[in-house]
């Protein structure tokens, strides 16, 4: 009989406690599936007294998480501390250097240091497994790296941040403004007290950078991700989106374009009948488009103790089964440096909302600014009249170059009758 | 450098040609991803002269597919012949006995003989890989067996037959009757000239039996699947479904129930806002519900050359990477004999459509028949009047036992005023 696979877990917050729970609940099932008993031999966490619902009396405790990486009775380190630097990074580096497998849910660490860490893991011949870092419980890393491995991927896009998707869904369903819904989400525990990582798109960008690498076989390049968050989305935009047949989602999109790959995180309008439009609340979704398989969609819970623990333990099973794959699908040394396509190279449709003074000639000026950049309008909405006051004017464009629409925006901003910064939301036809 | 992995392909129809195309197009990419060159060394097909778009001049040809299983220059046999008996079965058995890996898209073979074949593959220490047998290009076998392996699965359900989903979608969108749409589907190549395997639910049941085994770790038990097809679905039912807020889909459902697992394939009404309701046309979808991850949904193309070849080649990559898993997730000898829950044990809501003579007292008789079996009505629709003539009466029930509704049906059929066999469609609330 095989000796047990010995696990050390660093970080016993919600997800860590979830991992303990899965390993305890399904000890026999997991052994049957992997052919090896999985046992927790060591943990590290701030509070030793907190009740995590699992008996930890026989487990070694470390004050210093990094010391866990040198425990001879640990085969696999599960890193659930988080953060791209500091303890989490030291722990992972030390564990890999010591020839221990690492399973992590840390997207920030991988987005910033994934390339060096992957190379280190390969040199040591150990796993660096990261299913839990992207889209929580959805097995999308495995799906891309193995399930769709027969394809060249043309595009991968998705809803990668449950907090933003929850806020946008609530805004749509209740008609309330962003700040109001955010405050409620914080109260309910769906948003952090400092929500900026989520609502400014940084978390989604971390995940997108990892997905891009796995999908296209290129090094992780977080700096290349164009990032816009959802703070500026107003109830008005959501209302107009409905009227125009769209929903607003914070999307991560990585797409082959002009021989390179563009990576973008921003709010986008998607047609109401596209599969991703129906993914609401805290759910995540990833759509991969392969040259043979065409579009495959994965939907599920992107966060939470159970779903994230499910992904962590799936990675542990892969380690137990001896399945150690190159982190990003191909050996680090063979990751192709693909040129980064600038978001300026995007071609697509746009939604524009202007607040203008309601007086004669304003619409003509707006139309002229667009015409001068060869931007052709598809729809134009102006309702009600309020002479001399501010009214919203909304328009959508036919496919146009991002550079053109940006130049048109600059002209529009300079018009005296345009009162606020115009709002631009990209339209994605999936 | 590793020696190449040598492939023999039996059956060069649409999917076989697709596999050749993928292996040729992505030869370098696949080698980079798997660490091993994949080369086709032998094929078997009826017509040697047909142009398959790929140069086969250097490849060994076999008239007799089974002989391919003894070719010493073949490491992996790809079986794309189809059928649960005869050549396909002989080929797979011989290949496994000869210690060759087998990759197959043959759901009928696996549904009928999966248990013996899995045991044989394990004895010989080779792979029997079957991703392409279920839901075409969607990596759902891998998703369940590995991606969600940390979970006990509570339920798996899905749209497993693209032909039926196409027909039902067309019926809904055009209002036409089943026979009319089927004839068109046959003309377009979406349905076979003998369509019974698809439209009578047998193909979906083959796939469900395999999914059930992978999801619940029990032997394949095709005989336990309760099967109803879509022949009796009328335009009228589809119209009523719309009105009641449902869509009609042919579903495969495997669910833990009373300590056993029930397996059913039948048309069902699903709420219009459930994710699976939006899966239209030839698309397939599978939803797995795990105890930690909760619901994960996979959507994509369930058939066709590209998607199916994508799944076949993904399996070849797993073989090249040395990833040989137990066929149904746990070693054959440890598959748990789970008792088969009878469909009679189902509890849920139902849709009933009766054609009755429009005359006083009929509705009272119908209501009495239901009351006598403790079936409680949720909605009741009767529109228009046609004294003395046949009119449809439609009702939906609250949750009730299948046994009760079946007894009520028997009573209803015996009423003189009920003119045709009543139509019963199960309602599934996902």
């Amino acid at each position: 009989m095989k000796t047990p696979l010995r696990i050390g877990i660093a970080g016993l917050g919600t997800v860590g406690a979830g991992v303990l729970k899965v390993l305890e609940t399904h000890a026999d099932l997991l052994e049957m599936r992997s052919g090896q008993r999985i046992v927790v031999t060591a943990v590290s966490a701030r509070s030793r007294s907190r009740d995590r619902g699992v008996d930890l009396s026989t487990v070694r405790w470390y004050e210093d998480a990094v010391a866990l990486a040198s425990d001879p009775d640990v085969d696999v380190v599960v890193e659930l501390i988080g953060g791209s630097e500091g303890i989490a990074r030291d722990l992972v580096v030390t564990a890999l250097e010591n020839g221990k497998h690492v399973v992590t849910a840390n997207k920030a660490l991988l987005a910033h240091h994934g390339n060096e860490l992957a190379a280190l893991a390969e040199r040591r011949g150990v796993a660096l497994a990261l299913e839990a870092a992207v889209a929580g419980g959805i097995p999308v890393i495995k799906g891309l790296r193995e399930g769709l491995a027969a394809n060249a991927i043309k595009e991968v896009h998705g809803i990668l941040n449950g907090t933003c998707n929850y806020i946008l869904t609530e805004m749509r369903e209740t008609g309330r403004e962003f700040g109001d819904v955010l405050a409620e989400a914080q109260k309910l525990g769906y948003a952090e007290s400092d929500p900026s990582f989520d609502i400014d798109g940084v978390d989604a960008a971390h995940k997108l950078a990892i997905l891009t690498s796995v999908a296209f076989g290129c090094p992780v390049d977080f700096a290349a991700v164009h990032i816009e968050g959802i703070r500026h989305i107003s109830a008005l935009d959501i209302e107009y989106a409905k009227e125009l047949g769209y929903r607003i989602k914070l999307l991560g999109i990585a797409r082959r374009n002009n021989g390179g790959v563009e990576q973008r995180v921003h709010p986008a309008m998607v047609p109401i009948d596209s599969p991703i439009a129906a993914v609401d609340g805290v759910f995540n979704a990833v759509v991969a488009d392969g040259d043979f398989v065409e579009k495959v969609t994965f939907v599920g819970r992107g966060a939470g103790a159970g779903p994230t623990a499910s992904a962590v333990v799936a990675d542990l099973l892969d380690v137990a089964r001896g399945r150690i794959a190159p982190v990003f699908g191909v050996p680090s040394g063979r990751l192709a440096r693909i040129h980064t396509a600038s978001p300026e190279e995007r071609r697509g449709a746009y939604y524009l909302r202007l607040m203008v003074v309601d007086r004669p000639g304003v619409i003509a000026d707006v139309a002229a600014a667009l015409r001068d950049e060869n931007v052709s309008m598809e729809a134009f909405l102006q309702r009600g009249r309020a002479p001399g006051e501010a009214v919203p004017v909304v328009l959508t464009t036919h496919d146009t170059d991002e550079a053109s629409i940006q130049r048109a925006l600059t002209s529009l901003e300079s018009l005296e009758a345009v009162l606020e910064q115009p709002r631009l939301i990209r339209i994605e036809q999936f």
Side-chain angles (χ1 to χ4, degrees), chain A:
Chain A
M1 214 184 91
K2 254 173 137 174
T3 56
L5 185 70
R6 300 164 307 173
I7 313 296
I9 304 179
L12 291 183
T14 316
V15 175
V19 172
L20 289 171
K21 187 84 190 299
V22 174
L23 292 176
E24 183 181 83
T25 309
H26 291 320
D28 294 339
L29 184 67
L30 300 176
E31 182 178 3
M32 192 160 71
R33 287 181 176 165
S34 70
Q36 194 174 15
R37 193 88 185 163
I38 298 176
V39 296
V40 178
T41 49
V43 294
S44 172
R46 271 189 226 137
S47 159
R48 192 160 174 167
S49 55
R50 208 180 115 206
D51 179 17
R52 295 175 174 90
V54 173
D55 179 16
L56 291 172
S57 58
T58 61
V59 166
R60 202 169 297 160
W61 274 81
Y62 286 94
E63 299 286 314
D64 172 15
V66 182
L68 191 144
S70 302
D71 187 322
D73 294 327
V74 168
D75 303 312
V76 188
V77 169
V78 175
E79 186 273 302
L80 301 171
I81 294 170
S84 65
E85 311 298 332
I87 298 176
R89 187 180 178 192
D90 292 346
L91 169 64
V92 170
V93 168
T94 311
L96 294 174
E97 278 177 348
N98 289 344
K100 296 186 192 304
H101 306 286
V102 171
V103 173
T104 179
N106 190 334
K107 42 245 164 201
L109 176 67
L110 292 161
H112 287 281
H113 307 294
N115 300 322
E116 310 91 88
L117 295 174
L120 174 56
E122 284 165 34
R123 278 200 304 279
R124 300 293 167 156
V126 292
L128 171 59
L130 68 167
E131 185 66 78
V134 180
I138 312 172
V140 66
I141 297 291
K142 184 176 280 286
L144 272 171
R145 195 170 56 187
E146 304 170 27
L148 306 186
N151 297 269
I153 302 295
K154 295 182 280 183
E155 175 178 320
V156 54
H157 69 259
I159 295 171
L160 300 173
N161 184 277
T163 304
C164 288
N165 205 42
Y166 172 82
I167 292 173
L168 293 171
T169 303
E170 277 295 298
M171 287 178 71
R172 189 186 79 233
E173 288 180 350
T174 65
R176 285 185 295 160
E177 282 294 354
F178 172 79
D180 189 16
V181 174
L182 170 61
E184 191 199 56
Q186 287 173 312
K187 232 184 325 183
L188 292 171
Y190 294 153
E192 311 267 343
S193 52
D194 176 359
S196 48
F197 250 50
D198 289 318
I199 64 177
D200 292 335
V202 180
D203 174 76
H206 285 152
K207 295 165 182 168
L208 182 68
I210 296 167
L211 268 184
T212 303
S213 179
V214 172
F216 300 99
C218 53
V220 182
D221 190 359
F222 176 67
V225 185
H226 171 83
I227 310 175
E228 293 171 33
I230 64 167
R231 284 184 204 260
H232 67 277
I233 300 294
S234 74
L236 205 54
D237 296 318
I238 291 194
E239 201 48 44
Y240 278 116
K242 267 190 210 172
E243 194 172 333
L244 292 161
Y246 295 106
R247 288 198 174 163
I248 299 178
K249 298 286 178 190
L250 182 76
L251 295 186
I253 304 171
R255 187 179 287 162
R256 282 200 182 274
N257 184 3
N258 295 335
V261 172
E262 50 172 308
Q263 299 183 68
R264 301 183 266 120
V265 169
H266 54 70
M269 292 199 182
V270 295
I272 201 154
D273 58 356
S274 66
I276 213 163
V279 176
D280 275 338
V282 297
F283 281 83
N284 279 198
V286 174
V287 181
D289 191 355
D291 57 349
F292 285 96
V293 76
E294 301 183 43
K295 281 185 188 151
V296 177
T297 303
F298 305 79
V299 183
R301 289 178 187 274
T308 311
S310 168
V312 166
V313 176
D315 276 346
L316 290 174
L317 289 174
D318 263 359
V319 172
R321 286 160 165 162
R323 299 177 154 225
I324 298 170
V327 180
F328 299 111
V330 299
S332 294
R334 303 194 64 176
L335 289 168
R337 293 242 158 240
I338 299 178
H339 107 92
T340 300
S342 147
E344 292 276 296
E345 294 176 46
R346 176 180 192 268
R347 198 177 157 74
Y350 295 84
Y351 158 97
L352 260 182
R353 177 172 59 79
L354 310 169
M355 296 303 290
V356 302
V357 183
D358 187 3
R359 71 172 181 230
V362 171
I363 301 305
D365 291 347
V366 168
L370 294 167
R371 180 208 55 209
D372 290 351
E373 298 297 342
N374 284 315
V375 174
S376 137
M377 278 191 271
E378 190 189 21
F380 183 92
L381 296 175
Q382 189 197 2
R383 231 156 323 139
R385 298 281 338 253
E389 289 179 46
V391 291
V393 163
V394 159
L395 58 92
T396 59
T397 74
H398 287 292
D399 278 4
T400 186
D401 295 321
E402 173 107 11
S404 305
I405 195 84
Q406 294 291 358
R407 282 194 303 268
L409 262 188
T410 308
S411 308
L412 289 168
E413 277 184 65
S414 70
L415 292 177
E416 197 207 337
V418 171
L419 299 175
E420 299 172 5
Q421 206 193 340
R423 294 295 173 208
L424 175 131
I425 301 178
R426 295 171 187 85
I427 298 174
E428 296 287 342
Q429 305 285 0
F430 295 124

